[in-house]
Short mmCIF file of all heavy atoms in Angstrom, two decimals:
data_model
loop_
_atom_site.label_atom_id
_atom_site.label_comp_id
_atom_site.label_asym_id
_atom_site.label_seq_id
_atom_site.Cartn_x
_atom_site.Cartn_y
_atom_site.Cartn_z
N GLU A 1 0.90 -1.12 -0.03
CA GLU A 1 0.01 0.01 0.05
C GLU A 1 0.91 1.33 -0.06
O GLU A 1 1.96 1.20 0.54
CB GLU A 1 -0.97 0.09 1.25
CG GLU A 1 -1.86 -1.21 1.25
CD GLU A 1 -2.46 -1.44 2.63
OE1 GLU A 1 -1.66 -1.83 3.52
OE2 GLU A 1 -3.59 -1.10 2.80
N MET A 2 0.36 2.41 -0.62
CA MET A 2 1.14 3.48 -0.74
C MET A 2 0.94 4.42 0.44
O MET A 2 -0.25 4.52 0.94
CB MET A 2 0.79 4.23 -2.10
CG MET A 2 1.71 5.51 -2.36
SD MET A 2 3.34 4.95 -2.63
CE MET A 2 3.19 3.97 -4.04
N GLU A 3 1.93 5.34 0.75
CA GLU A 3 1.90 6.39 1.69
C GLU A 3 2.63 7.51 1.12
O GLU A 3 3.34 7.37 0.20
CB GLU A 3 2.29 6.04 3.04
CG GLU A 3 3.73 5.33 3.18
CD GLU A 3 3.92 4.83 4.53
OE1 GLU A 3 3.69 5.61 5.59
OE2 GLU A 3 4.52 3.73 4.71
N ALA A 4 2.25 8.67 1.65
CA ALA A 4 2.78 9.93 1.08
C ALA A 4 4.33 10.02 0.99
O ALA A 4 4.86 10.32 -0.03
CB ALA A 4 2.31 11.09 1.93
N SER A 5 5.01 9.58 2.10
CA SER A 5 6.42 9.66 2.01
C SER A 5 7.07 8.83 0.95
O SER A 5 7.97 9.11 0.24
CB SER A 5 7.01 9.29 3.36
OG SER A 5 6.62 8.05 3.75
N TRP A 6 6.48 7.56 0.70
CA TRP A 6 7.03 6.64 -0.20
C TRP A 6 6.65 7.13 -1.64
O TRP A 6 7.46 7.04 -2.50
CB TRP A 6 6.36 5.31 0.02
CG TRP A 6 7.06 4.26 -0.80
CD1 TRP A 6 8.26 4.08 -1.21
CD2 TRP A 6 6.48 2.94 -1.34
NE1 TRP A 6 8.57 3.13 -1.90
CE2 TRP A 6 7.51 2.31 -1.99
CE3 TRP A 6 5.22 2.46 -1.10
CZ2 TRP A 6 7.24 1.14 -2.60
CZ3 TRP A 6 4.99 1.17 -1.73
CH2 TRP A 6 5.95 0.40 -2.42
N LEU A 7 5.51 7.78 -1.71
CA LEU A 7 5.18 8.43 -3.10
C LEU A 7 6.21 9.41 -3.53
O LEU A 7 6.51 9.65 -4.70
CB LEU A 7 3.84 8.90 -3.02
CG LEU A 7 3.22 9.47 -4.37
CD1 LEU A 7 3.15 8.33 -5.40
CD2 LEU A 7 1.89 10.08 -4.19
N VAL A 8 6.59 10.30 -2.52
CA VAL A 8 7.68 11.28 -2.76
C VAL A 8 8.97 10.59 -3.31
O VAL A 8 9.58 11.13 -4.20
CB VAL A 8 7.96 12.19 -1.53
CG1 VAL A 8 9.03 13.05 -1.72
CG2 VAL A 8 6.68 12.98 -1.19
N GLU A 9 9.37 9.52 -2.76
CA GLU A 9 10.52 8.81 -3.23
C GLU A 9 10.34 8.27 -4.57
O GLU A 9 11.34 8.32 -5.34
CB GLU A 9 10.75 7.70 -2.37
CG GLU A 9 11.27 8.11 -0.70
CD GLU A 9 11.38 6.88 0.10
OE1 GLU A 9 11.56 5.71 -0.39
OE2 GLU A 9 11.46 7.03 1.22
N ARG A 10 9.31 7.85 -4.99
CA ARG A 10 9.01 7.17 -6.32
C ARG A 10 8.91 8.25 -7.25
O ARG A 10 9.13 8.09 -8.53
CB ARG A 10 7.90 6.25 -6.15
CG ARG A 10 8.04 5.04 -5.31
CD ARG A 10 6.80 4.18 -5.11
NE ARG A 10 6.48 3.64 -6.40
CZ ARG A 10 6.51 2.27 -6.63
NH1 ARG A 10 7.02 1.47 -5.71
NH2 ARG A 10 6.09 1.76 -7.81
N LEU A 11 8.36 9.40 -6.98
CA LEU A 11 8.02 10.51 -7.91
C LEU A 11 8.77 11.65 -7.37
O LEU A 11 8.22 12.76 -7.11
CB LEU A 11 6.56 10.75 -8.07
CG LEU A 11 5.59 9.62 -8.57
CD1 LEU A 11 4.27 9.97 -8.56
CD2 LEU A 11 6.19 9.19 -9.97
N SER A 12 10.08 11.71 -7.29
CA SER A 12 10.84 12.78 -6.74
C SER A 12 10.70 14.03 -7.80
O SER A 12 10.94 15.11 -7.38
CB SER A 12 12.29 12.38 -6.65
OG SER A 12 12.78 11.89 -7.97
N VAL A 13 10.49 13.90 -9.08
CA VAL A 13 10.42 15.05 -10.06
C VAL A 13 9.14 15.74 -9.76
O VAL A 13 9.13 17.04 -9.78
CB VAL A 13 10.54 14.47 -11.42
CG1 VAL A 13 10.47 15.60 -12.35
CG2 VAL A 13 11.87 13.69 -11.62
N GLN A 14 7.99 15.00 -9.70
CA GLN A 14 6.79 15.61 -9.48
C GLN A 14 6.65 16.20 -8.06
O GLN A 14 6.02 17.27 -7.90
CB GLN A 14 5.60 14.65 -9.66
CG GLN A 14 5.38 14.33 -11.08
CD GLN A 14 6.25 13.08 -11.56
OE1 GLN A 14 7.21 12.83 -10.94
NE2 GLN A 14 5.98 12.57 -12.63
N TYR A 15 7.24 15.68 -7.02
CA TYR A 15 7.09 16.17 -5.65
C TYR A 15 8.65 16.61 -5.18
O TYR A 15 9.28 15.76 -4.86
CB TYR A 15 6.46 15.15 -4.76
CG TYR A 15 5.08 14.58 -5.19
CD1 TYR A 15 4.94 13.45 -5.77
CD2 TYR A 15 4.10 15.33 -4.89
CE1 TYR A 15 3.70 12.99 -6.20
CE2 TYR A 15 2.72 15.04 -5.28
CZ TYR A 15 2.62 13.71 -5.92
OH TYR A 15 1.41 13.34 -6.35
N SER A 16 8.65 17.80 -5.19
CA SER A 16 10.07 18.41 -4.76
C SER A 16 9.90 19.67 -3.90
O SER A 16 8.65 20.25 -3.94
CB SER A 16 10.78 18.68 -5.96
OG SER A 16 10.22 19.69 -6.76
N GLY A 17 10.79 20.02 -3.15
CA GLY A 17 10.67 21.14 -2.26
C GLY A 17 10.34 20.74 -0.82
O GLY A 17 10.00 19.42 -0.46
N LYS A 18 10.03 21.72 0.00
CA LYS A 18 9.78 21.37 1.40
C LYS A 18 8.46 20.89 1.72
O LYS A 18 8.16 20.27 2.72
CB LYS A 18 10.06 22.59 2.27
CG LYS A 18 9.28 23.77 1.93
CD LYS A 18 9.59 25.02 2.86
CE LYS A 18 8.74 26.20 2.42
NZ LYS A 18 8.92 27.37 3.30
N ASP A 19 7.61 21.15 0.74
CA ASP A 19 6.19 20.69 0.87
C ASP A 19 5.86 19.60 0.12
O ASP A 19 4.66 19.30 -0.16
CB ASP A 19 5.19 21.87 0.60
CG ASP A 19 5.27 22.96 1.56
OD1 ASP A 19 5.55 22.82 2.69
OD2 ASP A 19 4.89 24.23 1.13
N SER A 20 6.76 18.80 -0.25
CA SER A 20 6.55 17.59 -1.22
C SER A 20 5.67 16.61 -0.49
O SER A 20 4.83 16.06 -1.19
CB SER A 20 7.99 16.97 -1.57
OG SER A 20 8.64 16.65 -0.33
N THR A 21 5.89 16.23 0.73
CA THR A 21 5.08 15.24 1.47
C THR A 21 3.66 15.74 1.52
O THR A 21 2.72 14.94 1.38
CB THR A 21 5.71 14.94 2.77
OG1 THR A 21 6.99 14.51 2.57
CG2 THR A 21 4.97 13.77 3.38
N ARG A 22 3.46 16.86 1.83
CA ARG A 22 2.02 17.43 2.04
C ARG A 22 1.41 17.46 0.59
O ARG A 22 0.24 17.14 0.58
CB ARG A 22 2.14 18.91 2.51
CG ARG A 22 0.66 19.59 2.65
CD ARG A 22 0.91 21.03 2.97
NE ARG A 22 1.60 21.82 2.00
CZ ARG A 22 1.15 22.31 0.96
NH1 ARG A 22 -0.28 22.10 0.70
NH2 ARG A 22 1.90 22.89 0.12
N LYS A 23 2.11 17.73 -0.42
CA LYS A 23 1.46 17.69 -1.78
C LYS A 23 1.09 16.27 -2.07
O LYS A 23 -0.02 15.96 -2.73
CB LYS A 23 2.38 18.31 -2.83
CG LYS A 23 2.65 19.75 -2.77
CD LYS A 23 3.72 20.26 -3.68
CE LYS A 23 4.02 21.75 -3.48
NZ LYS A 23 5.01 22.10 -4.29
N ALA A 24 1.91 15.39 -1.85
CA ALA A 24 1.69 13.90 -2.11
C ALA A 24 0.49 13.45 -1.40
O ALA A 24 -0.40 12.75 -1.85
CB ALA A 24 2.90 13.09 -1.74
N ARG A 25 0.46 13.91 -0.04
CA ARG A 25 -0.79 13.40 0.86
C ARG A 25 -2.01 14.06 0.28
O ARG A 25 -3.08 13.31 0.27
CB ARG A 25 -0.47 13.88 2.27
CG ARG A 25 -1.47 13.41 3.30
CD ARG A 25 -1.20 13.91 4.62
NE ARG A 25 0.14 13.62 5.10
CZ ARG A 25 1.00 14.32 5.31
NH1 ARG A 25 0.88 15.73 5.05
NH2 ARG A 25 2.25 14.01 5.78
#
């Protein structure tokens, strides 16, 4: 199952910056 922090790792280009985890969530 996916969670926000792991999604940031897998899509580092789409989710970057200090708010990356919040955007993924």
